[in-house]
Coordinates of all heavy atoms in Angstrom, one line a residue:
H1 N -48.4 5.3 1.7 CA -49.6 5.6 2.2 C -50.6 6.1 1.0 O -51.7 5.9 0.9 CB -49.6 6.7 3.2 CG -49.0 6.3 4.5 ND1 -48.8 4.9 4.8 CD2 -48.8 7.0 5.5 CE1 -48.2 5.0 6.0 NE2 -48.2 6.1 6.6
K2 N -49.9 6.7 0.0 CA -50.6 7.1 -1.3 C -51.2 5.9 -1.9 O -52.4 5.9 -2.3 CB -49.8 7.8 -2.2 CG -50.5 8.4 -3.3 CD -49.5 9.3 -4.1 CE -50.1 10.0 -5.3 NZ -49.1 10.8 -6.0
E3 N -50.5 4.7 -2.0 CA -51.1 3.6 -2.6 C -52.1 2.9 -1.8 O -53.2 2.5 -2.3 CB -49.9 2.4 -2.8 CG -50.3 1.2 -3.3 CD -50.7 1.3 -4.9 OE1 -50.3 2.4 -5.5 OE2 -51.4 0.4 -5.3
Y4 N -52.0 2.9 -0.5 CA -53.0 2.5 0.4 C -54.3 3.2 0.1 O -55.4 2.6 0.1 CB -52.5 2.5 1.9 CG -53.7 2.1 2.7 CD1 -53.9 0.8 3.0 CD2 -54.3 3.1 3.5 CE1 -54.9 0.5 3.9 CE2 -55.3 2.8 4.4 CZ -55.6 1.4 4.7 OH -56.6 1.1 5.5
R5 N -54.2 4.6 0.1 CA -55.5 5.4 0.0 C -56.1 5.1 -1.5 O -57.3 4.9 -1.5 CB -55.1 6.9 0.0 CG -55.0 7.3 1.5 CD -54.8 8.8 1.6 NE -53.5 8.9 2.2 CZ -52.6 9.8 2.0 NH1 -52.7 10.7 1.1 NH2 -51.4 9.8 2.6
R6 N -55.3 4.9 -2.5 CA -55.8 4.5 -3.8 C -56.6 3.1 -3.7 O -57.7 3.1 -4.2 CB -54.8 4.4 -4.8 CG -55.2 4.2 -6.2 CD -54.1 4.1 -7.3 NE -53.4 2.9 -7.2 CZ -53.8 1.8 -7.8 NH1 -55.0 1.8 -8.5 NH2 -53.1 0.6 -7.7
Q7 N -55.9 2.3 -3.1 CA -56.5 0.9 -2.9 C -57.8 1.0 -2.1 O -58.8 0.3 -2.4 CB -55.6 -0.1 -2.4 CG -54.3 -0.3 -3.0 CD -54.6 -1.1 -4.4 OE1 -55.6 -1.4 -4.6 NE2 -53.5 -1.2 -5.2
R8 N -57.9 1.8 -1.1 CA -59.0 1.9 -0.2 C -60.1 2.5 -1.1 O -61.2 2.1 -0.9 CB -58.6 2.8 1.0 CG -59.6 2.9 2.0 CD -59.1 2.5 3.4 NE -60.0 2.8 4.3 CZ -60.7 1.8 4.9 NH1 -60.6 0.6 4.6 NH2 -61.6 2.3 5.9
Q9 N -59.9 3.5 -1.8 CA -60.9 4.1 -2.6 C -61.3 3.1 -3.6 O -62.7 3.0 -3.8 CB -60.4 5.4 -3.3 CG -61.4 6.1 -4.2 CD -62.6 6.6 -3.5 OE1 -62.5 6.9 -2.3 NE2 -63.8 6.5 -4.0
M10 N -60.6 2.4 -4.2 CA -61.0 1.3 -5.2 C -61.9 0.4 -4.4 O -62.9 -0.2 -4.8 CB -59.9 0.6 -5.9 CG -59.2 1.5 -6.9 SD -57.8 0.7 -7.6 CE -58.6 -0.6 -8.6
C11 N -61.5 0.1 -3.2 CA -62.3 -0.9 -2.3 C -63.7 -0.4 -2.2 O -64.6 -1.2 -2.3 CB -61.6 -1.1 -1.0 SG -62.5 -2.0 0.2
K12 N -63.8 0.8 -1.8 CA -65.2 1.3 -1.5 C -65.9 1.4 -2.8 O -67.2 1.0 -2.7 CB -64.9 2.8 -1.0 CG -64.4 3.0 0.4 CD -64.4 4.5 0.7 CE -63.7 4.6 2.1 NZ -63.5 6.1 2.4
E13 N -65.4 1.6 -4.0 CA -66.2 1.6 -5.1 C -66.6 0.2 -5.5 O -67.7 0.0 -6.0 CB -65.4 2.2 -6.3 CG -65.0 3.8 -6.1 CD -64.1 4.2 -7.0 OE1 -63.5 3.6 -7.9 OE2 -63.8 5.5 -6.8
T14 N -65.7 -0.7 -5.4 CA -66.1 -2.1 -5.8 C -66.9 -2.8 -4.7 O -67.8 -3.6 -5.2 CB -64.8 -3.0 -6.0 OG1 -63.9 -3.0 -4.9 CG2 -63.9 -2.5 -7.2
A15 N -66.8 -2.5 -3.5 CA -67.7 -3.1 -2.5 C -69.1 -3.0 -2.8 O -69.9 -3.8 -2.6 CB -67.2 -2.6 -1.1
M16 N -69.5 -1.7 -3.2 CA -70.8 -1.4 -3.4 C -71.4 -2.2 -4.6 O -72.6 -2.4 -4.7 CB -71.0 0.0 -3.9 CG -70.5 0.9 -2.6 SD -71.7 0.7 -1.2 CE -71.1 1.9 -0.2
S17 N -70.6 -2.6 -5.5 CA -71.0 -3.2 -6.9 C -70.9 -4.7 -7.0 O -71.3 -5.2 -7.9 CB -70.3 -2.6 -8.1 OG -69.0 -2.8 -7.9
I18 N -70.3 -5.3 -5.9 CA -70.3 -6.8 -6.0 C -71.5 -7.4 -5.4 O -71.8 -7.4 -4.2 CB -69.0 -7.2 -5.2 CG1 -67.8 -6.7 -5.9 CG2 -68.9 -8.7 -5.1 CD1 -66.5 -7.0 -5.2
D19 N -72.2 -8.2 -6.2 CA -73.3 -9.0 -5.8 C -72.8 -10.4 -5.6 O -71.6 -10.8 -5.7 CB -74.5 -9.0 -6.8 CG -74.0 -9.4 -8.2 OD1 -73.1 -10.2 -8.3 OD2 -74.7 -9.0 -9.1
Y20 N -73.8 -11.3 -5.2 CA -73.4 -12.8 -4.9 C -72.8 -13.4 -6.0 O -71.7 -14.1 -5.8 CB -74.7 -13.3 -4.4 CG -74.5 -14.9 -4.0 CD1 -73.8 -15.2 -2.9 CD2 -74.7 -15.8 -4.9 CE1 -73.5 -16.6 -2.6 CE2 -74.5 -17.2 -4.7 CZ -73.9 -17.5 -3.5 OH -73.6 -18.9 -3.2
F21 N -73.3 -13.3 -7.2 CA -72.8 -14.0 -8.4 C -71.3 -13.5 -8.7 O -70.4 -14.3 -8.8 CB -73.6 -13.7 -9.7 CG -73.1 -14.2 -10.9 CD1 -73.0 -15.5 -11.2 CD2 -72.4 -13.3 -11.8 CE1 -72.5 -16.1 -12.3 CE2 -71.9 -13.9 -13.0 CZ -71.9 -15.3 -13.2
H22 N -71.1 -12.2 -8.5 CA -69.7 -11.7 -8.8 C -68.8 -12.1 -7.6 O -67.6 -12.3 -7.9 CB -69.8 -10.2 -8.9 CG -70.4 -9.7 -10.3 ND1 -71.7 -9.2 -10.5 CD2 -69.9 -9.9 -11.5 CE1 -71.9 -9.1 -11.7 NE2 -70.8 -9.4 -12.4
Q23 N -69.2 -12.1 -6.5 CA -68.5 -12.5 -5.3 C -68.1 -14.0 -5.6 O -66.9 -14.3 -5.3 CB -69.1 -12.4 -4.0 CG -68.4 -12.9 -2.8 CD -68.2 -11.8 -1.7 OE1 -68.1 -10.7 -2.0 NE2 -68.2 -12.4 -0.6
T24 N -68.9 -14.8 -6.1 CA -68.6 -16.2 -6.3 C -67.5 -16.2 -7.5 O -66.6 -17.0 -7.3 CB -69.9 -17.0 -6.8 OG1 -70.9 -16.9 -5.7 CG2 -69.5 -18.4 -7.0
Q25 N -67.6 -15.5 -8.5 CA -66.5 -15.5 -9.4 C -65.3 -14.9 -9.0 O -64.2 -15.4 -9.2 CB -67.0 -14.5 -10.6 CG -68.1 -15.1 -11.4 CD -68.4 -14.1 -12.7 OE1 -68.5 -13.0 -12.5 NE2 -68.6 -14.7 -13.8
L26 N -65.4 -13.9 -8.0 CA -64.2 -13.3 -7.4 C -63.5 -14.4 -6.5 O -62.3 -14.6 -6.7 CB -64.6 -12.2 -6.5 CG -63.5 -11.6 -5.6 CD1 -62.2 -11.1 -6.5 CD2 -64.0 -10.5 -4.7
I27 N -64.2 -15.2 -5.8 CA -63.6 -16.2 -5.0 C -63.0 -17.3 -5.9 O -61.9 -17.8 -5.7 CB -64.6 -16.9 -4.1 CG1 -65.0 -15.9 -3.0 CG2 -64.2 -18.1 -3.4 CD1 -66.3 -16.3 -2.1
N28 N -63.6 -17.6 -7.0 CA -63.0 -18.5 -7.9 C -61.7 -18.0 -8.4 O -60.7 -18.7 -8.6 CB -63.9 -18.9 -9.1 CG -65.0 -19.9 -8.7 OD1 -65.0 -20.6 -7.8 ND2 -66.1 -19.7 -9.4
F29 N -61.7 -16.8 -8.8 CA -60.4 -16.1 -9.3 C -59.3 -16.2 -8.2 O -58.2 -16.6 -8.5 CB -60.6 -14.7 -9.7 CG -59.4 -13.7 -9.8 CD1 -58.6 -13.9 -11.1 CD2 -59.0 -12.9 -8.8 CE1 -57.5 -13.2 -11.2 CE2 -57.8 -12.1 -9.0 CZ -57.1 -12.3 -10.2
L30 N -59.7 -15.8 -7.0 CA -58.7 -15.8 -5.8 C -58.1 -17.1 -5.5 O -56.9 -17.3 -5.4 CB -59.4 -15.3 -4.6 CG -59.9 -13.9 -4.6 CD1 -60.7 -13.6 -3.4 CD2 -58.5 -12.9 -4.5
Q31 N -59.0 -18.2 -5.8 CA -58.4 -19.5 -5.5 C -57.7 -20.1 -6.7 O -56.6 -20.6 -6.6 CB -59.7 -20.5 -5.2 CG -60.2 -20.3 -3.9 CD -61.2 -21.3 -3.6 OE1 -62.3 -21.3 -4.2 NE2 -60.9 -22.2 -2.6
K32 N -58.2 -19.9 -7.9 CA -57.5 -20.6 -9.1 C -56.5 -19.8 -9.6 O -55.4 -20.4 -10.0 CB -58.6 -20.8 -10.1 CG -59.6 -21.8 -9.8 CD -60.8 -22.0 -10.8 CE -61.7 -23.1 -10.3 NZ -62.9 -23.2 -11.1
D33 N -56.5 -18.4 -9.8 CA -55.6 -17.7 -10.4 C -54.4 -17.1 -9.5 O -53.2 -17.1 -9.8 CB -56.2 -16.4 -11.1 CG -57.1 -16.8 -12.3 OD1 -57.7 -17.8 -12.3 OD2 -56.9 -16.1 -13.2
L34 N -54.9 -16.9 -8.2 CA -53.8 -16.3 -7.2 C -53.5 -17.4 -6.2 O -52.6 -17.2 -5.4 CB -54.4 -15.2 -6.5 CG -54.8 -14.0 -7.4 CD1 -55.2 -12.8 -6.5 CD2 -53.6 -13.5 -8.2
G35 N -54.2 -18.5 -6.2 CA -53.7 -19.6 -5.2 C -54.0 -19.3 -3.8 O -53.4 -19.9 -2.9
I36 N -55.0 -18.4 -3.5 CA -55.5 -18.2 -2.2 C -56.3 -19.4 -1.6 O -57.2 -19.9 -2.3 CB -56.3 -16.8 -2.1 CG1 -55.7 -15.7 -2.9 CG2 -56.7 -16.5 -0.6 CD1 -54.3 -15.4 -2.3
S37 N -56.1 -19.9 -0.4 CA -56.5 -21.0 0.2 C -58.0 -20.7 0.6 O -58.4 -19.4 1.0 CB -55.9 -21.5 1.4 OG -56.1 -20.5 2.5
W38 N -58.8 -21.7 0.7 CA -60.2 -21.6 1.1 C -60.2 -21.1 2.6 O -61.1 -20.2 2.9 CB -61.0 -22.8 0.9 CG -62.3 -22.7 1.5 CD1 -63.0 -23.4 2.5 CD2 -63.4 -21.8 0.9 NE1 -64.3 -22.9 2.7 CE2 -64.6 -22.0 1.7 CE3 -63.4 -21.0 0.0 CZ2 -65.8 -21.2 1.5 CZ3 -64.7 -20.2 -0.4 CH2 -65.7 -20.4 0.4
D39 N -59.4 -21.5 3.4 CA -59.3 -21.2 4.8 C -59.1 -19.7 4.9 O -59.7 -19.0 5.7 CB -58.1 -21.9 5.5 CG -58.4 -23.3 5.8 OD1 -59.7 -23.6 5.7 OD2 -57.5 -24.0 6.1
S40 N -58.2 -19.1 4.1 CA -57.9 -17.6 4.1 C -59.2 -16.8 3.7 O -59.5 -15.8 4.2 CB -56.7 -17.2 3.2 OG -55.5 -17.7 3.7
I41 N -59.8 -17.4 2.6 CA -61.0 -16.6 2.1 C -62.1 -16.8 3.2 O -62.9 -15.8 3.3 CB -61.5 -17.4 0.8 CG1 -60.4 -17.0 -0.3 CG2 -62.9 -16.8 0.3 CD1 -60.6 -17.7 -1.6
T42 N -62.3 -17.9 3.9 CA -63.3 -18.0 4.9 C -63.1 -17.0 6.0 O -64.0 -16.3 6.5 CB -63.3 -19.5 5.4 OG1 -63.5 -20.3 4.4 CG2 -64.4 -19.7 6.4
V43 N -61.9 -16.9 6.5 CA -61.6 -15.9 7.5 C -61.9 -14.5 7.1 O -62.5 -13.7 7.7 CB -60.0 -15.9 7.8 CG1 -59.6 -14.8 8.6 CG2 -59.7 -17.3 8.5
A44 N -61.5 -14.2 5.8 CA -62.0 -12.8 5.3 C -63.5 -12.7 5.0 O -64.0 -11.5 5.4 CB -61.2 -12.7 4.0
L45 N -64.2 -13.7 4.7 CA -65.5 -13.6 4.6 C -66.2 -13.3 5.9 O -67.2 -12.5 6.0 CB -66.2 -14.9 4.0 CG -66.0 -15.0 2.4 CD1 -66.3 -16.4 1.9 CD2 -66.6 -14.0 1.6
R46 N -65.7 -14.0 7.0 CA -66.3 -13.8 8.3 C -66.1 -12.3 8.7 O -66.9 -11.7 9.3 CB -65.8 -14.7 9.3 CG -66.2 -16.0 9.2 CD -65.7 -17.0 10.3 NE -65.9 -18.3 10.0 CZ -65.1 -19.4 10.0 NH1 -63.9 -19.2 10.4 NH2 -65.5 -20.6 9.7
Q47 N -64.8 -11.8 8.4 CA -64.5 -10.4 8.8 C -65.3 -9.4 8.0 O -65.9 -8.4 8.4 CB -63.0 -10.1 8.5 CG -62.6 -8.8 8.9 CD -62.7 -8.5 10.5 OE1 -62.5 -9.5 11.2 NE2 -62.9 -7.3 10.8
Q48 N -65.6 -9.7 6.6 CA -66.5 -9.0 5.8 C -67.9 -8.8 6.3 O -68.4 -7.7 6.2 CB -66.5 -9.6 4.4 CG -67.3 -8.7 3.4 CD -67.2 -9.4 2.1 OE1 -67.3 -10.6 2.0 NE2 -67.2 -8.6 1.0
E49 N -68.4 -9.8 6.9 CA -69.7 -9.7 7.5 C -69.7 -8.7 8.6 O -70.8 -8.0 8.7 CB -70.2 -11.1 8.1 CG -70.5 -12.1 6.9 CD -70.8 -13.5 7.5 OE1 -70.8 -13.6 8.7 OE2 -71.0 -14.4 6.7
K50 N -68.7 -8.6 9.4 CA -68.5 -7.6 10.5 C -68.3 -6.2 10.0 O -68.8 -5.3 10.6 CB -67.5 -8.0 11.4 CG -67.7 -9.3 12.1 CD -66.5 -9.8 13.0 CE -66.7 -11.2 13.5 NZ -65.6 -11.6 14.2
S51 N -67.4 -6.1 9.1 CA -67.0 -4.8 8.6 C -67.6 -4.2 7.4 O -67.5 -3.0 7.1 CB -65.5 -4.7 8.5 OG -65.1 -5.5 7.4
L52 N -68.3 -5.0 6.6 CA -68.9 -4.6 5.4 C -67.9 -4.1 4.3 O -68.2 -3.3 3.5 CB -70.0 -3.5 5.6 CG -71.2 -4.1 6.5 CD1 -72.1 -3.0 6.7 CD2 -71.8 -5.3 5.9
G53 N -66.5 -4.4 4.5 CA -65.6 -4.1 3.6 C -65.5 -5.0 2.4 O -66.2 -6.1 2.3
S54 N -64.7 -4.7 1.4 CA -64.6 -5.6 0.3 C -63.7 -6.8 0.6 O -62.8 -6.7 1.3 CB -64.1 -4.9 -1.0 OG -62.7 -4.7 -1.0
L55 N -64.1 -8.0 0.1 CA -63.3 -9.1 0.2 C -61.7 -8.9 0.0 O -60.9 -9.2 0.8 CB -63.8 -10.2 -0.5 CG -63.2 -11.6 -0.3 CD1 -63.2 -12.1 1.2 CD2 -63.8 -12.7 -1.2
P56 N -61.3 -8.4 -1.2 CA -59.9 -8.3 -1.5 C -59.2 -7.4 -0.4 O -58.1 -7.7 -0.1 CB -59.8 -7.6 -2.9 CG -61.2 -7.9 -3.5 CD -62.2 -7.9 -2.3
M57 N -59.8 -6.2 -0.2 CA -59.2 -5.4 0.9 C -58.9 -6.0 2.3 O -58.0 -5.9 2.9 CB -60.0 -4.0 0.9 CG -59.3 -2.9 1.6 SD -58.0 -2.4 0.5 CE -57.3 -1.1 1.4
I58 N -60.1 -6.8 2.7 CA -59.9 -7.5 3.9 C -58.8 -8.5 3.9 O -58.0 -8.6 4.9 CB -61.2 -8.1 4.3 CG1 -62.3 -7.1 4.5 CG2 -61.1 -8.9 5.5 CD1 -63.8 -7.5 4.7
L59 N -58.8 -9.3 2.8 CA -57.7 -10.3 2.7 C -56.3 -9.6 2.8 O -55.4 -10.1 3.5 CB -57.8 -10.9 1.3 CG -58.8 -12.0 1.1 CD1 -59.0 -12.3 -0.3 CD2 -58.4 -13.4 2.0
W60 N -56.2 -8.4 2.1 CA -54.9 -7.7 2.2 C -54.6 -7.1 3.7 O -53.5 -7.3 4.2 CB -54.9 -6.5 1.2 CG -53.6 -5.8 1.2 CD1 -52.5 -6.2 0.9 CD2 -53.5 -4.4 1.7 NE1 -51.5 -5.2 1.0 CE2 -52.1 -4.2 1.6 CE3 -54.3 -3.5 2.2 CZ2 -51.7 -2.8 2.0 CZ3 -53.9 -2.2 2.6 CH2 -52.5 -1.9 2.4
Q61 N -55.7 -6.5 4.2 CA -55.4 -6.1 5.7 C -55.1 -7.0 6.6 O -54.4 -6.8 7.6 CB -56.7 -5.3 6.1 CG -57.0 -4.0 5.4 CD -58.4 -3.5 5.6 OE1 -59.3 -4.0 6.0 NE2 -58.4 -2.2 5.4
L62 N -55.5 -8.3 6.5 CA -55.3 -9.4 7.3 C -53.9 -10.0 7.0 O -53.6 -11.0 7.7 CB -56.4 -10.5 7.2 CG -57.8 -10.0 7.9 CD1 -58.8 -11.1 7.6 CD2 -57.7 -9.7 9.3
G63 N -53.3 -9.5 5.9 CA -52.1 -10.1 5.6 C -52.2 -11.4 4.8 O -51.2 -12.2 4.8
L64 N -53.2 -11.8 4.2 CA -53.5 -13.0 3.5 C -53.2 -13.0 2.0 O -53.2 -14.0 1.4 CB -54.9 -13.5 3.8 CG -55.3 -13.7 5.3 CD1 -56.8 -14.0 5.5 CD2 -54.4 -14.8 5.9
I65 N -53.1 -11.8 1.6 CA -52.6 -11.6 0.1 C -51.6 -10.4 0.1 O -51.7 -9.5 1.0 CB -53.7 -11.2 -1.0 CG1 -54.6 -10.1 -0.6 CG2 -54.7 -12.6 -0.9 CD1 -55.6 -9.6 -1.7
S66 N -50.8 -10.5 -0.8 CA -49.7 -9.3 -1.0 C -50.3 -8.1 -1.7 O -51.4 -8.3 -2.2 CB -48.5 -9.9 -1.8 OG -49.0 -10.1 -3.2
L67 N -49.7 -7.1 -1.7 CA -50.1 -5.9 -2.4 C -50.2 -6.2 -3.9 O -51.2 -5.7 -4.6 CB -49.2 -4.8 -2.2 CG -49.7 -3.3 -2.6 CD1 -51.0 -3.0 -2.1 CD2 -48.5 -2.3 -2.3
N68 N -49.3 -6.9 -4.5 CA -49.3 -7.4 -5.9 C -50.7 -8.1 -6.2 O -51.3 -7.9 -7.2 CB -48.1 -8.0 -6.3 CG -47.0 -7.3 -6.4 OD1 -47.0 -5.9 -6.6 ND2 -45.8 -7.7 -6.4
Q69 N -50.9 -9.1 -5.1 CA -52.1 -9.8 -5.5 C -53.5 -8.9 -5.3 O -54.4 -9.2 -6.1 CB -52.3 -10.9 -4.5 CG -51.2 -12.1 -4.7 CD -51.2 -13.1 -3.6 OE1 -51.1 -12.7 -2.5 NE2 -51.3 -14.3 -3.9
L70 N -53.5 -8.0 -4.4 CA -54.5 -7.0 -4.2 C -54.7 -6.2 -5.6 O -55.8 -6.0 -6.1 CB -54.3 -6.1 -3.1 CG -55.4 -5.0 -2.8 CD1 -56.6 -5.7 -2.5 CD2 -54.9 -4.1 -1.7
D71 N -53.5 -5.8 -6.1 CA -53.7 -5.0 -7.3 C -54.2 -5.9 -8.5 O -55.0 -5.4 -9.3 CB -52.2 -4.5 -7.7 CG -52.4 -3.5 -8.8 OD1 -53.0 -2.5 -8.9 OD2 -51.5 -3.7 -9.9
S72 N -53.8 -7.1 -8.6 CA -54.3 -8.1 -9.6 C -55.7 -8.3 -9.4 O -56.5 -8.4 -10.4 CB -53.5 -9.4 -9.5 OG -52.2 -9.3 -9.9
T73 N -56.2 -8.4 -8.2 CA -57.5 -8.6 -8.0 C -58.5 -7.4 -8.3 O -59.6 -7.5 -9.0 CB -57.8 -8.8 -6.5 OG1 -57.0 -10.0 -6.1 CG2 -59.2 -9.1 -6.2
F74 N -58.0 -6.2 -8.0 CA -58.6 -5.0 -8.5 C -58.7 -4.7 -10.0 O -59.7 -4.4 -10.6 CB -58.1 -3.7 -7.8 CG -58.5 -3.5 -6.4 CD1 -57.6 -3.3 -5.4 CD2 -59.8 -3.6 -6.1 CE1 -58.0 -3.0 -4.1 CE2 -60.3 -3.3 -4.8 CZ -59.2 -3.1 -3.8
T75 N -57.6 -5.2 -10.6 CA -57.6 -5.3 -12.1 C -58.6 -6.3 -12.6 O -59.4 -5.8 -13.5 CB -56.1 -5.6 -12.7 OG1 -55.3 -4.6 -12.1 CG2 -56.1 -5.6 -14.2
W76 N -58.7 -7.4 -12.1 CA -59.7 -8.4 -12.5 C -61.1 -7.9 -12.3 O -62.0 -8.1 -13.1 CB -59.4 -9.7 -11.7 CG -60.4 -10.9 -12.1 CD1 -60.3 -11.7 -13.0 CD2 -61.6 -11.1 -11.5 NE1 -61.3 -12.5 -13.0 CE2 -62.2 -12.1 -12.2 CE3 -62.3 -10.5 -10.4 CZ2 -63.5 -12.6 -11.8 CZ3 -63.7 -11.0 -10.1 CH2 -64.2 -12.0 -10.8
L77 N -61.3 -7.1 -11.1 CA -62.6 -6.6 -10.8 C -63.1 -5.6 -12.0 O -64.2 -5.5 -12.3 CB -62.7 -5.9 -9.5 CG -62.7 -7.0 -8.3 CD1 -62.5 -6.3 -7.0 CD2 -64.1 -7.8 -8.3
E78 N -62.1 -4.7 -12.3 CA -62.4 -3.7 -13.2 C -62.7 -4.3 -14.7 O -63.5 -3.9 -15.5 CB -61.1 -2.9 -13.5 CG -60.8 -2.0 -12.4 CD -59.6 -1.1 -12.6 OE1 -59.0 -1.3 -13.5 OE2 -59.3 -0.5 -11.6
L79 N -62.1 -5.6 -15.0 CA -62.3 -6.2 -16.3 C -63.6 -7.1 -16.4 O -63.9 -7.6 -17.4 CB -61.1 -7.0 -16.7 CG -59.9 -6.1 -16.9 CD1 -58.7 -7.0 -17.1 CD2 -60.1 -5.1 -18.0
N80 N -64.1 -7.5 -15.2 CA -65.1 -8.5 -15.1 C -66.5 -7.9 -14.4 O -66.7 -7.1 -13.8 CB -64.8 -9.6 -14.2 CG -63.7 -10.4 -15.0 OD1 -64.0 -11.2 -15.8 ND2 -62.5 -10.3 -14.6

């Protein structure tokens, strides 16, 4: 649960700072570097519109990416 809380806090911080351009870069990273399918991303984007959460966190909550992939995504977000 401690890891989940840490990831959730990071989610809140990154969700506020991701604009359209960065979201496009994030989607490219998810597809090219992590191999996440467009179908999975589309499902998460639809959910994101409803919940206003961050795309990586929604992908993880829906079971579409692993915790390791979520961590890699947050690392990528911090560097980009």
